[in-house]
Amino acid sequence: MADNAKLFNDINSGWTAILQALKQDQDVPAVSYKTWLTPLRPDSFSDNTLYVIYPGDRRGIDYIDKKYKFYLQRAIEYITGINCNIILITESDSRLPHTQKTMSSFITMNGNRLNPVYTFDNFVVGNSNKFAQAVSLAVAESPGELYNPLYIHGGVGLGKTHLMHAIALFILQNNPDARVLYTTCEAFNNDLLEAIRNKNNYTFRDKYRNADILLIDDIQFLSRGGEYIQEEIFNTFNHLYELKKQIVFASDRPPKEIDNIDTRIISRFLQGITVEILPPDLETRVAILRKKEEIENYNIDAEVINYIASKVKSNIRELEGALKKVIAFSKLNNKEVNLELAQETLKDHLSMYNEQEITSLRIREVVAEHFGIKVSDLASEKRSKDIAFPRHVAMYLCCELTTDSLTSIARVLGKKDHSTVIHGRNKIIEDMKTDEELKNKIEILKKKLSPS
Ligand code: ADP
Ligand code: MG
């Protein structure tokens, strides 16, 4: 290992001289030198192989590989006396574990693996996410100093987890010894219950309170967790905050929308900065597909990319899924990827989340998910407050957003009589006049139902 570091250091410090030597040796024209050689950067050294980054796409790499690699090898030997293999990689490859050392930097102190693809480099910035991206990068560059806590929220599949991993990876890359801890709220809860069961609360506390950076994903789970978790999150937060350790949360909704949680916790969430990620516009969707194309080394026509981007609007995971589906379909049928094939593949594609028509059934699903209750409860006769209130909200939304008859809305929501629906709707209209929070909630639900 130490040898590798030394060899790498020798090459790295002689890099300019190496490139110059190659230029002279091969009489490389200035423009070629500037295009192909000056962008190259040594990345790491292991198994007698030097990994060199070319910050462009694979086509560039293939070209350099054929045209210059041999001479680069020779120039390295000429300048440093080191005879090694060379592997050219892209910027995103450089985050992939090609050596033991980089390998360990993808694992957080609780043993969670970070996805090496979820880097800032691979995160496409557009109007819908640029503020969230900028703040996340600032936090990664100066953890604990500027925005603490950072609270990221937005709909499903819009890049919250990607940004969290990017922060964690960035910090680990700059400081491999940083104690970075990424977890989901649910995993935190399970860990806590396990600790309580085994009576080793101290080990649990040690683990979370020793973190330099704590990232907790899907924090909306708090409203469903057991009685201990809120207390534990609150105390862990205070402990780390006092020590100026960075804390990052991600959630599918803003802090005030998380039901059944202690106001003390909400005020902690609001203490730092809150950023929202919105569904991407067409331009950003196209750019994301292009990025994916680059990472996966596909080569796809613009009209196909545009078609997919126009088809899937508000969930990036689905957008990527649609692209994968088209590629898979082309391989399976041994056909070239073109517009016709894409149309054929996606003709029955109905987005799970957003491209559907708004129906009472869908409202029922989205409302249940939002309030963390079961669809079957919403559709039952249960009258307890935690069910009755969401049901009123659903009634209101069904009246507002669909043309379904009152009788069919009543049926979908477990009621026999259409007058119950009118009653529920009126109650919400009345309450919204004075209840700002409720008004907000309705706005968010409407956005979830039809984001564009
Ligand atoms: P969330 O946690 O908000 O549900 P994820 O972070 O899991 O969403 O993102 C879903 C998928 O979309 C991931 O594969 C992620 O890499 C991709 N993605 C999201 N936003 C972007 C972006 N701005 N640029 C590139 N890929 C993105
Ligand atoms: Mg996520």
Side-chain angles (χ1 to χ4, degrees):
M1 251 357 198
D3 269 345
N4 281 339
K6 187 185 173 303
L7 294 173
F8 178 72
N9 199 24
D10 287 351
I11 295 173
N12 199 29
S13 51
W15 194 245
T16 320
I18 290 168
L19 293 184
Q20 286 292 342
L22 164 54
K23 183 172 179 230
Q24 266 164 26
D25 179 29
Q26 289 303 302
D27 223 343
V28 182
V31 60
S32 312
Y33 184 71
K34 192 167 153 235
T35 309
W36 305 115
L37 298 176
T38 47
L40 297 178
R41 261 189 351 259
D43 176 60
S44 52
F45 194 97
S46 64
D47 291 334
N48 198 38
T49 304
L50 175 72
Y51 292 84
V52 179
I53 297 181
Y54 171 68
D57 61 11
R58 298 256 173 212
R59 276 159 288 189
I61 288 194
D62 289 346
Y63 182 73
I64 299 168
D65 218 67
K66 284 202 196 81
K67 181 119 178 129
Y68 296 107
K69 193 165 95 174
F70 172 74
Y71 302 108
L72 182 59
Q73 236 161 333
R74 209 157 72 173
I76 291 173
E77 189 169 12
Y78 178 65
I79 299 289
T80 64
I82 299 166
N83 181 352
C84 61
N85 305 315
I86 293 176
I87 293 183
L88 288 158
I89 56 177
T90 62
E91 208 121 41
S92 45
D93 285 336
S94 82
R95 313 288 187 257
L96 296 171
H98 53 263
T99 67
Q100 279 300 321
K101 185 178 161 296
T102 45
M103 184 92 168
S104 62
S105 64
F106 301 124
I107 299 179
T108 68
M109 59 183 276
N110 54 336
N112 267 346
R113 260 188 79 78
L114 297 164
N115 186 334
V117 175
Y118 288 179
T119 57
F120 281 113
D121 288 338
N122 289 337
F123 191 83
V124 174
V125 182
N127 280 328
S128 54
N129 60 23
K130 66 177 176 210
F131 185 55
Q133 187 267 357
V135 170
S136 299
L137 183 60
V139 160
E141 285 170 348
S142 317
E145 287 174 31
L146 296 165
Y147 307 113
N148 207 10
L150 164 61
Y151 186 104
I152 307 171
H153 68 95
V156 185
L158 294 184
K160 303 180 296 293
T161 298
H162 186 138
L163 276 182
M164 287 194 128
H165 283 218
I167 295 171
L169 288 167
F170 187 99
I171 291 173
L172 281 170
Q173 234 125 46
N174 287 297
N175 176 8
D177 298 326
R179 284 164 305 183
V180 173
L181 207 160
Y182 167 87
T183 186
T184 64
C185 191
E186 197 167 0
F188 182 94
N189 189 47
N190 294 341
D191 213 9
L192 174 64
L193 294 183
E194 173 100 5
I196 293 172
R197 206 174 309 125
N198 300 331
K199 302 198 166 43
N200 56 2
N201 301 10
Y202 287 106
T203 327
F204 175 88
R205 288 199 176 134
D206 256 12
K207 177 162 108 187
Y208 288 94
R209 294 183 190 185
N210 273 322
D212 293 320
I213 300 99
L214 177 64
L215 307 103
I216 306 185
D217 209 342
D218 292 320
I219 194 78
Q220 74 274 3
F221 177 85
L222 261 192
S223 54
R224 277 184 255 177
E227 55 186 306
Y228 302 108
I229 186 170
Q230 293 196 26
E231 187 68 20
E232 197 60 40
I233 289 273
F234 183 72
N235 292 330
T236 306
F237 178 95
N238 288 340
H239 182 88
L240 293 175
Y241 187 83
E242 285 287 302
L243 296 169
K244 292 198 169 15
K245 304 295 189 187
Q246 180 70 46
I247 306 144
V248 182
F249 299 106
S251 168
D252 69 350
R253 62 198 74 186
K256 285 196 171 143
E257 288 294 313
I258 305 179
D259 291 311
N260 307 320
I261 67 166
D262 204 321
T263 47
R264 290 184 308 172
I265 297 184
I266 295 180
S267 75
R268 291 300 184 277
F269 288 162
L270 293 169
Q271 199 163 322
I273 190 164
T274 303
V275 296
E276 181 174 15
I277 307 184
L278 295 168
D281 53 24
L282 180 65
E283 197 187 327
T284 311
R285 298 202 295 278
V286 168
I288 287 169
L289 289 175
R290 286 268 173 245
K291 188 72 186 183
K292 195 77 200 163
E293 184 190 12
E294 180 194 316
I295 295 174
E296 301 287 339
N297 197 20
Y298 302 142
N299 184 4
I300 299 166
D301 278 355
E303 58 175 5
V304 174
I305 296 272
N306 288 338
Y307 173 75
I308 299 173
S310 69
K311 192 87 179 150
V312 186
K313 297 199 179 103
S314 35
N315 179 316
I316 296 168
R317 192 174 298 124
E318 276 194 38
L319 186 68
E320 295 180 345
L323 175 65
K324 275 195 203 134
K325 208 165 148 188
V326 172
I327 305 272
F329 194 77
S330 104
K331 285 200 181 129
L332 205 66
N333 294 290
N334 213 353
K335 284 186 187 163
E336 160 195 16
V337 176
N338 56 24
L339 185 59
E340 204 187 335
L341 178 109
Q343 282 168 338
E344 168 72 14
T345 315
L346 299 179
K347 70 174 186 296
D348 304 322
H349 180 90
L350 261 193
S351 169
M352 269 168 61
Y353 295 92
N354 297 303
E355 268 88 274
Q356 293 166 358
E357 208 185 326
I358 300 179
T359 60
S360 298
L361 286 175
R362 202 160 146 251
I363 290 176
R364 188 173 73 178
E365 245 168 59
V366 171
V367 169
E369 195 258 358
H370 184 86
F371 287 98
I373 59 178
K374 294 200 195 101
V375 171
S376 56
D377 282 341
L378 207 54
S380 73
E381 309 235 0
K382 286 188 190 163
R383 284 153 180 265
S384 56
K385 190 166 174 287
D386 56 328
I387 308 286
F389 172 63
R391 192 184 289 127
H392 288 157
V393 169
M395 287 171 176
Y396 168 80
L397 290 169
C398 289
C399 292
E400 282 276 296
L401 304 176
T402 75
T403 50
D404 296 357
S405 69
L406 291 174
T407 323
S408 78
I409 296 174
R411 208 177 335 109
V412 164
L413 295 168
K415 297 289 164 189
K416 295 197 182 71
D417 192 359
H418 73 273
S419 66
T420 342
V421 176
I422 299 177
H423 168 77
R425 180 195 66 166
N426 289 348
K427 180 152 181 13
I428 296 296
I429 293 178
E430 207 42 48
D431 289 352
M432 273 202 295
K433 287 183 184 155
T434 51
D435 188 342
E436 276 300 313
E437 223 172 278
L438 175 60
K439 240 166 97 177
N440 256 332
K441 209 169 263 184
I442 298 284
E443 275 316 305
I444 286 172
L445 279 162
K446 281 188 178 167
K447 225 193 305 181
K448 280 194 178 176
L449 285 159
S450 88
S452 44

